[in-house]
Amino acid sequence: KGSTKTAGGPSQIENAKVALIQFCLSAPKTDMDNNVVVSDYAAMDRILRDERKYILNMCKKIKKSGANVVLIQKSILRDAYNELSLHFLAKMGILVVTDIERSDVEFVCRTLGCTPVPHVDSLAPEKLGSADHVGDVVLPGSGHKVVKFVGVAHPGRTSTVLLRGSNELVLAEANRSVHDAQCVVRSLVKQRFLIAGGGAAETEASLRLRELALETTGMDSHCFKAYADALEVIPYTLAENAGLKPIEIVTELRKAHAEGTIGAGIDVKKGCISNMYEKNVIQPLLVTTSAIKLATETVCMILKVDDLVVVA
């Protein structure tokens, strides 16, 4: 969003000193709900005068710290700001950006090199970030404005991806797609191995477990066989979701792996079994191993349950 200019404040600041505040620029409130009964106009004027003085003192402390750009975190307890505080800040030539989400505070601080300030008395010049220029810019193709920081003195190792869409649904879907792509990159950074997709890895692991089950006896053999059956659910579900015949597809897939084609997987576009490495259908190894590990831990936790207590 753009800067707040309801009180006539500036929209462009050179040599900016940025402060991110977490306290509220509004009249204080008690922890309990109460009502103030005003019997005459003199008492009402005194209340308004005290409120004005309280907010003015906070704005003067912000100005004294050297900040000329103020980012205000969104508050759920009471108003993070009011028109009077915006008016005072505008008169002092301070650019104001409101409604900073709590989840974005860490990113903003790492990017601008500032420190969040929980109380006005803690505001000091060393807690401010700096930039050569801060101002509103209009996005091409629309009338929306955003605040752009240029020339950050000590930029952190952060990046910004600006998503645009025709409506909230398109924007949410684009956000999920970017998040999924970031998770794939994260998985590759943590463990730099790629395996075939299309259910190839699960089928190969299931085949090897069945061979191991035939070589062992007793309870271990039953466990290996059950684990192999569970792994085959993944290619079965994949074929079912693709509108294919799951039993036939899984049987062909099992046959291909038995013949030595390790990369054989389900080609959902052609509806057949293909070599996933040749089709460039690959996925990070960490994704598959994490899923198998979590599923195994869940089953082990359920098996440890001795009894259930039914609460009526």
Side-chain angles (χ1 to χ4, degrees):
K1 58 178 292 184
S3 60
T4 302
K5 298 187 291 297
T6 55
S11 60
Q12 306 289 332
I13 294 292
E14 298 289 343
N15 298 322
K17 298 295 182 181
V18 186
L20 195 154
I21 62 174
Q22 296 178 306
F23 54 88
C24 297
L25 290 176
S26 59
K29 291 184 178 180
T30 58
D31 295 334
M32 299 176 61
D33 292 336
N34 57 9
N35 295 321
V36 178
V37 179
V38 181
S39 56
D40 56 0
Y41 288 105
M44 181 181 298
D45 290 339
R46 187 167 60 254
I47 292 174
L48 295 176
R49 188 166 55 251
D50 291 341
E51 177 181 343
R52 181 184 180 92
K53 182 179 179 182
Y54 175 83
I55 296 176
L56 179 59
N57 287 334
M58 288 197 298
C59 294
K60 285 182 178 179
K61 290 181 180 180
I62 294 175
K63 181 66 176 180
K64 185 178 180 181
S65 68
N68 51 13
V69 176
V70 175
L71 311 180
I72 304 177
Q73 179 179 316
K74 182 184 293 186
S75 175
I76 60 175
L77 299 178
R78 61 189 176 99
D79 295 335
Y81 60 93
N82 56 19
E83 294 298 328
L84 187 60
S85 61
L86 295 180
H87 170 73
F88 287 142
L89 293 174
K91 291 297 182 182
M92 297 175 183
I94 298 176
L95 186 147
V96 181
V97 182
T98 59
D99 297 337
I100 304 296
E101 295 289 346
R102 182 182 295 270
S103 57
D104 297 334
V105 169
E106 181 181 0
F107 173 80
V108 172
C109 292
R110 290 176 58 189
T111 303
L112 301 179
C114 59
T115 303
V117 181
H119 194 272
V120 66
D121 293 335
S122 303
L123 192 58
E126 59 269 13
K127 295 185 178 182
L128 304 179
S130 59
D132 293 340
H133 181 268
V134 177
D136 291 343
V137 295
V138 180
L139 294 178
S142 67
H144 296 289
K145 291 184 178 181
V146 295
V147 180
K148 184 177 181 180
F149 293 78
V150 180
V152 178
H154 303 287
R157 298 179 62 183
T158 58
S159 300
T160 301
V161 179
L162 183 61
L163 301 178
R164 299 174 60 184
S166 58
N167 52 51
E168 291 293 335
L169 293 177
V170 175
L171 199 59
E173 185 62 31
N175 187 23
R176 284 191 291 268
S177 300
V178 172
H179 181 266
D180 292 343
Q182 291 175 334
C183 290
V184 171
V185 175
R186 173 179 174 272
S187 299
L188 284 175
V189 170
K190 293 184 68 175
Q191 196 169 0
R192 299 185 179 183
F193 295 98
L194 291 171
I195 59 175
E202 292 81 2
T203 305
E204 182 67 22
S206 175
L207 180 64
R208 301 307 174 192
L209 284 175
R210 291 185 188 277
E211 294 177 355
L212 186 60
L214 294 176
E215 297 175 359
T216 56
T217 58
M219 186 64 67
D220 293 341
S221 177
H222 292 287
C223 292
F224 290 143
K225 187 177 183 302
Y227 209 109
D229 293 338
L231 288 176
E232 281 193 350
V233 173
I234 296 177
Y236 185 95
T237 306
L238 179 61
E240 196 173 31
N241 291 341
L244 308 175
K245 297 180 180 179
I247 298 178
E248 295 181 4
I249 291 294
V250 172
T251 302
E252 294 179 10
L253 186 60
R254 192 186 303 158
K255 177 185 176 183
H257 279 267
E259 294 175 351
T261 309
I262 299 178
I266 302 175
D267 189 343
V268 297
K269 293 184 177 180
K270 295 183 178 180
C272 62
I273 304 300
S274 303
N275 193 322
M276 295 291 99
Y277 290 118
E278 297 177 356
K279 297 289 185 179
N280 288 327
V281 180
I282 52 179
Q283 65 185 30
L285 174 63
L286 187 61
V287 174
T288 303
T289 54
S290 298
I292 294 176
K293 182 179 178 180
L294 291 175
T296 304
E297 290 177 353
T298 303
V299 172
C300 292
M301 182 179 62
I302 294 174
L303 291 176
K304 290 179 181 179
V305 178
D306 297 326
D307 197 2
L308 296 177
V309 179
V310 180
V311 180

